[in-house]
Amino acid sequence: MIGEWAIESKKIGVIFLILIGVCSLFVFGVREFEKQDLSKYEYWIVDTEITAYEFIENGRMITVDWHSKKEVNQQVSVLDKKPKFGSPGRITGRRFLVSYAARFKAKSAWNEVRDDFPILEQNYPDKGEYWKINVYDTKGEKLDKKVLDVFEITRNYNENYYPAFILNKYSIDSIDGKEYLTISLRKKGDTITDVRGESKLLKRLIDLETGKIVDIDPNNQIKSSPKIGLSSIDAFSQLFEDHDFYVSDDDIHFWKLGDNTKHWLLNRKYPKSMEIISKNPETSYIYKLASDDDLQTSIDMIKLVFPEGTNIFKDITIPATSSKDGQAHLVQSEEEFLQYYKSSTEE
């Protein structure tokens, strides 16, 4: 009996090892097939999405954490040879937040003006290709998302055009209180005659509210883009750098967090936002949204990442080019600063 049991156990063990081997070969084969299938895509803009957020300061700001989609990370991770990656393309306006996503078989155009975007001769994607715009609408302190297919909106505008590229790398265009992206289109049959691939391009606007290309030439429009310029003041720029964050006209972005974050005003007023930033400082932002006073909103945003009561205006020199009377001023308080400082919106 014992001998028979031992023989049966050995058989079971052998069968188990064979099954493990077959499964391993299957998994390896699937992985190799997936690798070969994905390696045909020469250009990617990794798809990023907002994974956590909180509206703060009565809707004048939003704290956001961006992450690349898990499935995209998994797809890229299997490749031995990495494709050309384009810019993450996360930008903000006063109402909308946008990120781009693309995957093409076409190679990079290797052109700085176009951010190495491939030159496309199509208004339908090949199987497996995509070009998307993720649009987040903050209206009413909600975060509603829609995804625009760039090929589809181009065909809906005019079937005789290809999408070429989108000009907005850094900010969303505001025209007459509405927000747009500018897209360049190429007519079917037109040849590319310059090194940038920009010959005979037609520029049009993408209305972010409707998600449609509208028949408006952006070159004939007056774009309003409030420039506060606090980071251009040397003393402020150094203050921000010393505290490991960067301030633009639209946001605060963190490199790393110091030991004093528990004393931040943000930590006391908005613990959820503090938690979002603490988990992933490098992918987290505080964005400014629409407000009646853009300069005051910028100041209030900066105060959030300092201990409550901190005088961030102490020994700040306003250069002559940024003062209301054309004279340099050394100020010690917010009141003095507001008395003399002139942002570009006041010019």
Side-chain angles (χ1 to χ4, degrees), residues 290-345:
S291 64
D292 294 331
D293 189 332
D294 208 46
L295 174 57
Q296 189 61 56
T297 300
S298 289
I299 291 170
D300 292 343
M301 180 174 67
I302 295 166
K303 287 179 179 179
L304 289 172
V305 294
F306 284 92
E308 187 169 8
T310 301
N311 182 8
I312 62 173
F313 298 93
K314 181 177 173 58
D315 295 329
I316 295 293
T317 297
I318 301 172
T321 54
S322 298
S323 73
K324 292 177 181 177
D325 60 5
Q327 307 271 337
H329 294 275
L330 176 65
V331 302
Q332 301 296 329
S333 67
E334 180 174 344
E335 291 72 23
E336 278 188 284
F337 182 82
L338 292 174
Q339 179 181 351
Y340 295 112
Y341 183 69
K342 179 185 69 176
S343 65
S344 65
T345 56

Side-chain angles (χ1 to χ4, degrees), residues 44 46-47 68-77 130:
W44 299 57
V46 176
D47 196 355
S68 54
K69 286 191 173 180
K70 187 176 181 180
E71 61 266 30
V72 177
N73 287 336
Q74 291 171 339
Q75 289 168 352
V76 173
S77 68
Y130 55 80

Side-chain angles (χ1 to χ4, degrees), residues 65-91:
D65 187 18
W66 294 94
H67 279 281
S68 54
K69 286 191 173 180
K70 187 176 181 180
E71 61 266 30
V72 177
N73 287 336
Q74 291 171 339
Q75 289 168 352
V76 173
S77 68
V78 305
L79 296 175
D80 294 328
K81 180 183 177 182
K82 302 305 179 187
K84 170 70 181 179
F85 289 105
S87 167
R90 296 186 295 267
I91 56 176

Side-chain angles (χ1 to χ4, degrees), residues 16-200:
F16 181 70
L17 290 173
I18 291 172
L19 288 173
I20 290 176
V22 170
C23 289
S24 298
L25 288 172
F26 177 76
V27 171
F28 176 77
V30 170
R31 189 174 179 86
E32 285 300 306
F33 176 80
E34 183 181 23
K35 183 189 300 184
Q36 292 174 15
D37 189 53
L38 291 171
S39 64
K40 65 188 176 186
Y41 301 111
E42 299 278 354
Y43 183 91
W44 299 57
I45 297 175
V46 176
D47 196 355
T48 54
E49 59 186 348
I50 294 174
T51 54
Y53 69 93
E54 182 185 25
F55 287 93
I56 58 177
E57 294 294 287
N58 297 317
R60 293 185 299 153
M61 308 169 204
I62 184 173
T63 305
V64 162
D65 187 18
W66 294 94
H67 279 281
S68 54
K69 286 191 173 180
K70 187 176 181 180
E71 61 266 30
V72 177
N73 287 336
Q74 291 171 339
Q75 289 168 352
V76 173
S77 68
V78 305
L79 296 175
D80 294 328
K81 180 183 177 182
K82 302 305 179 187
K84 170 70 181 179
F85 289 105
S87 167
R90 296 186 295 267
I91 56 176
T92 181
R94 289 298 174 258
R95 172 177 168 182
F96 294 96
L97 310 177
V98 162
S99 68
Y100 302 128
R103 185 172 73 182
F104 297 122
K105 297 173 187 175
K107 292 184 178 180
S108 163
W110 297 102
N111 183 279
E112 292 181 3
V113 175
R114 301 186 53 211
D115 196 25
D116 291 339
F117 202 81
I119 296 173
L120 304 174
E121 299 293 330
Q122 62 199 79
N123 62 13
Y124 280 90
D126 287 346
K127 184 178 179 181
E129 292 185 319
Y130 55 80
W131 184 2
K132 301 184 294 185
I133 306 173
N134 302 308
V135 180
Y136 292 90
D137 189 349
T138 66
K139 185 178 180 180
E141 294 189 40
K142 298 179 181 178
L143 201 63
D144 294 324
K145 179 184 178 182
K146 62 174 173 277
V147 180
L148 307 182
D149 182 318
V150 177
F151 293 105
E152 182 180 8
I153 64 174
T154 299
R155 295 193 307 269
N156 289 341
Y157 171 70
N158 190 319
E159 290 187 347
N160 294 316
Y161 281 87
Y162 304 127
F165 57 97
I166 295 171
L167 293 172
N168 302 73
K169 293 183 185 179
Y170 306 113
S171 63
I172 293 169
D173 294 330
S174 179
I175 301 171
D176 293 332
K178 297 192 67 174
E179 293 189 320
Y180 302 90
L181 301 178
T182 297
I183 186 170
S184 289
L185 306 172
R186 181 180 295 108
K187 193 171 185 179
K188 290 181 181 180
D190 282 355
T191 57
I192 300 169
T193 57
D194 64 13
V195 294
R196 296 179 300 174
E198 295 183 17
S199 172
K200 300 181 180 179

Side-chain angles (χ1 to χ4, degrees), residues 207-220:
D207 185 331
L208 291 177
E209 186 170 10
T210 64
K212 297 179 180 180
I213 297 176
V214 292
D215 202 25
I216 298 174
D217 184 348
N219 294 324
N220 299 329

